[in-house]
Amino acid sequence: MVTTFPPFSSVPIAITCFTRGLDIRKEKADVLCPGGCSLEEFSVFGNIVYASVSSICGAAIHRGVISNSGGPVRIYSLPGRENYSSVVANGIQSQTLSRWSASFTVTKGKSGTQEATGQAVSTARPSTGKRLKKTPEKKTGNKDCKADIAFLIDGSFNIGQRRFNLQKNFVGKVALMLGIGTEGPHVGLVQASEHPKIEFYLKNFTSAKDVLFAIKEVGFRGGNSNTGKALKHTAQKFFTADAGVRRGIPKVVVVFIDGWPSDDIEEAGIVAREFGVNVFIVSVAKPIPEELGMVQDVAFVDKAVCRNNGFFSYHMPNWFGTTKYVKPLVQKLCTHEQMMCSKTCYNSVNIAFLIDGSSSVGDSNFRLMLEFVSNIAKTFEISDIGAKIAAVQFTYDQRTEFTFTDYSTKENVLAVIRNIRYMSGGTATGDAISFTVRNVFGPVRDSPNKNFLVIVTDGQSYDDVRGPAAAAHDAGITIFSVGVAWAPLDDLKDMASKPKESHAFFTREFTGLEPIVSDVIRGICRDFLESQQ
């Protein structure tokens, strides 16, 4: 039987190489894949019907819907299924998966006029000059661009009254295209000058019309461009629940700098990152050679942004003819998966894996355990300011494979996991828990990340697990216990955090570890969210 889908029309949403099927929460959607994605980095599970954890663009290339140069793709959500097959097609090796909770398929999408930049784009339409009828959607806003944004504008004598007004005009155009609404982006405004001033908060206005009026009414303050002082003030005072910040929504500050700041903004950037704020720098009219001697630090942009990867910095040559720069900036602000400094379960956790290397496991099953560990680890945003991963292998003895501070990139962590050597020996899980709490979690006890320990074991422990597990719980470490084959259910429950039924897992076969991956990831995210309340 051939499945037919109803006609569907929408503006394609630009996505990144790594956007997964589960990130598009619609039954059907038109998306736009960027070109130049690395085929080796795609995670694709299945053939024709793909597990929702797969990359959309990777699946589209795998099926032949698009080439590596990108293009429009139509995605349809499907129910979960058993046994996603592994097939080599169009340069991509898809992987097998025994079970997943949701699926999708892809077909050729409709052509759009926007370019595939790899950055999600606002679907809010700019004003055409004609008065449109009011609709409920207009009040709701652009649901695909949920963000809490502070515009930090330059109000110093350095910019002057005329360019200050041009700056306000540009910010107004950006605010309009964002699609402000109750369920879309919320924005506020802070003016940097001698002393920072919050002009209006996130909670004050939820329609573009009101925001535009409020921006127009902002007066020029003058003074030095103390951008660092204003950024620090914004990070600490602007993004509060009382001011209208929403839980689980990315916090963003867009800093406009005309020329150069008159104070140090590196420290302010660090403070912003600690508060989970994504800092964008929009620099205009770089200092001329004669002025460079007045700049405290010529690399101030790289040191202030959320991440020095090119994504968080944006330059305009001057304040004239800026309309063409509005849409690219909006695209950046709506790319949620790039907001590396937002505090989420994916970038604000420390996860240590305690891996059973006893003789009963065997080398081939040990490889399956490492695959289980890798599949959990690669879901998280591992970086120097993000998620941290560590691993300890245990028998009667313990061996620290790597600590939280050894590797700060996902590629390095996954490579080290793959190369862990099987020890073989007895099973002393209690001692291993104590060792891990002391030697792995001890050095990061002051970390702002939430701590998790995932224990994978296949048998009975020769020592007591209850006491060491209780000590770990008291130290603020959440434990997930995963048992295979002969692992006693009582031991798993004794080790697991409460509620036991959602923190202890068991499978008869090592091949049954794969379906547990999603359960552990969901559990970590659930516990993280509850800890933030």
Side-chain angles (χ1 to χ4, degrees):
M1 183 181 75
V2 178
T3 303
T4 58
F5 297 99
F8 175 60
S9 175
S10 75
V11 177
I13 304 167
I15 61 175
T16 72
C17 307
F18 306 104
T19 303
R20 303 164 296 180
L22 56 83
D23 297 323
I24 303 295
R25 298 179 181 178
K26 297 180 179 179
E27 289 187 7
K28 43 190 176 287
D30 278 319
V31 299
L32 200 58
C33 285
C37 298
S38 172
L39 299 185
E40 292 76 21
E41 293 182 4
F42 282 128
S43 291
V44 178
F45 301 88
N47 180 41
I48 302 177
V49 174
Y50 302 92
S52 64
V53 73
S54 304
S55 159
I56 296 172
C57 299
I61 295 173
H62 184 265
R63 196 176 178 193
V65 169
I66 59 171
S67 68
N68 196 36
S69 59
V73 175
R74 185 164 290 175
I75 175 174
Y76 298 93
S77 294
L78 298 171
R81 62 185 297 174
E82 306 284 338
N83 300 321
Y84 295 88
S85 58
S86 171
V87 176
V88 178
N90 299 308
I92 294 179
Q93 168 73 66
S94 70
Q95 303 174 58
T96 58
L97 194 59
S98 58
R99 178 170 59 86
W100 197 256
S101 57
S103 312
F104 68 89
T105 191
V106 288
T107 62
K108 187 71 176 175
K110 73 170 191 176
S111 297
T113 56
Q114 65 194 42
E115 294 181 7
T117 62
Q119 298 154 357
V121 67
S122 167
T123 56
R125 297 180 180 177
S127 172
T128 60
K130 298 179 181 179
R131 185 176 294 276
L132 302 176
K133 294 181 179 179
K134 288 188 176 181
T135 63
E137 183 61 29
K138 197 162 186 178
K139 294 178 182 177
T140 301
N142 180 10
K143 296 179 182 178
D144 294 326
C145 182
K146 288 187 176 182
D148 287 341
I149 304 171
F151 292 111
L152 178 54
I153 61 174
D154 188 345
S156 68
F157 287 136
N158 192 49
I159 190 171
Q161 179 73 63
R162 185 187 181 203
R163 297 203 304 271
F164 179 76
N165 289 336
L166 291 172
Q167 176 186 216
K168 289 199 301 178
N169 184 47
F170 177 76
V171 172
K173 290 177 182 178
V174 172
L176 183 65
M177 184 171 278
L178 279 170
I180 296 165
T182 53
E183 296 184 38
H186 290 183
V187 304
L189 190 73
V190 183
Q191 185 174 174
S193 56
E194 195 68 35
H195 302 287
K197 180 186 178 185
I198 297 175
E199 302 289 353
F200 58 89
Y201 289 97
L202 297 164
K203 67 179 180 180
N204 293 137
F205 310 109
T206 54
S207 75
K209 178 182 176 182
D210 292 337
V211 167
L212 290 176
F213 181 79
I215 292 173
K216 184 179 179 182
E217 292 297 301
V218 172
F220 177 59
R221 293 173 60 81
N224 286 325
S225 57
N226 291 331
T227 310
K229 185 178 180 180
L231 176 56
K232 193 172 182 180
H233 182 78
T234 304
Q236 294 173 327
K237 306 295 184 183
F238 181 89
F239 293 101
T240 65
D242 290 341
V245 74
R246 296 169 289 177
R247 193 168 66 86
I249 303 294
K251 294 181 286 189
V252 181
V253 57
V254 184
V255 183
F256 292 90
I257 297 179
D258 186 290
W260 67 93
S262 57
D263 63 346
D264 178 26
I265 64 173
E266 181 179 3
E267 182 188 353
I270 294 170
V271 171
R273 290 192 289 274
E274 289 175 348
F275 277 81
V277 178
N278 298 273
V279 178
F280 280 81
I281 301 287
V282 178
S283 56
V284 186
K286 290 181 178 179
I288 60 177
E290 299 81 58
E291 297 170 331
L292 285 175
M294 303 172 64
V295 183
Q296 289 192 22
D297 189 348
V298 293
F300 66 85
V301 171
D302 292 340
K303 293 180 178 179
V305 291
C306 164
R307 181 68 65 82
N308 180 19
N309 59 3
F311 177 79
F312 293 95
S313 54
Y314 195 66
H315 180 69
M316 299 190 298
N318 53 59
W319 288 110
F320 302 95
T322 57
T323 302
K324 63 184 177 183
Y325 299 107
V326 172
K327 184 177 178 181
L329 180 58
V330 168
Q331 289 176 331
K332 284 177 176 280
L333 299 180
C334 291
T335 310
H336 296 167
E337 62 268 32
Q338 292 274 18
M339 300 297 181
M340 301 298 291
C341 289
S342 297
K343 295 291 186 184
T344 70
C345 66
Y346 296 109
N347 65 14
S348 300
V349 293
N350 298 325
I351 308 173
F353 293 93
L354 191 51
I355 308 165
D356 189 344
S358 61
S359 302
S360 56
V361 174
D363 190 67
S364 60
N365 287 333
F366 186 72
R367 294 294 124 196
L368 291 175
M369 292 170 78
L370 295 184
E371 186 177 335
F372 169 76
V373 170
S374 292
N375 287 336
I376 294 175
K378 71 181 181 183
T379 305
F380 294 87
E381 296 167 10
I382 302 166
S383 73
D384 54 339
I385 60 169
K388 304 285 195 303
I389 305 294
V392 173
Q393 185 180 172
F394 72 97
T395 56
Y396 281 137
D397 297 317
Q398 306 85 30
R399 186 172 74 200
T400 303
E401 303 294 351
F402 58 96
T403 69
F404 290 126
T405 56
D406 287 340
Y407 303 102
S408 59
T409 69
K410 185 180 297 188
E411 293 76 16
N412 286 342
V413 166
L414 296 179
V416 174
I417 292 172
R418 282 195 300 270
N419 291 321
I420 290 176
R421 292 177 292 104
Y422 174 47
M423 288 173 65
S424 187
T427 309
T429 315
D431 278 351
I433 295 172
S434 299
F435 175 89
T436 306
V437 170
R438 182 173 62 253
N439 295 286
V440 176
F441 287 103
V444 296
R445 63 169 58 90
D446 297 324
S447 167
N449 288 5
K450 181 168 175 58
N451 292 323
F452 292 89
L453 175 61
V454 179
I455 303 171
V456 193
T457 180
D458 85 322
Q460 174 88 47
S461 175
Y462 291 106
D463 61 358
D464 171 60
V465 297
R466 191 175 300 177
H473 299 156
D474 290 342
I477 301 167
T478 301
I479 297 181
F480 288 87
S481 58
V482 181
V484 190
W486 306 109
L489 192 56
D490 287 345
D491 275 9
L492 298 178
K493 287 183 176 180
D494 285 341
M495 293 186 292
S497 293
K498 295 180 181 178
K500 303 291 186 181
E501 58 271 14
S502 60
H503 290 82
F505 302 94
F506 178 79
T507 175
R508 281 285 175 204
E509 305 291 338
F510 281 87
T511 52
L513 285 171
E514 182 56 37
I516 299 174
V517 169
S518 58
D519 294 325
V520 173
I521 293 168
R522 278 196 296 268
I524 289 172
C525 286
R526 177 197 61 233
D527 291 349
F528 175 83
L529 284 174
E530 289 178 357
S531 73
Q532 302 301 298
Q533 293 178 350

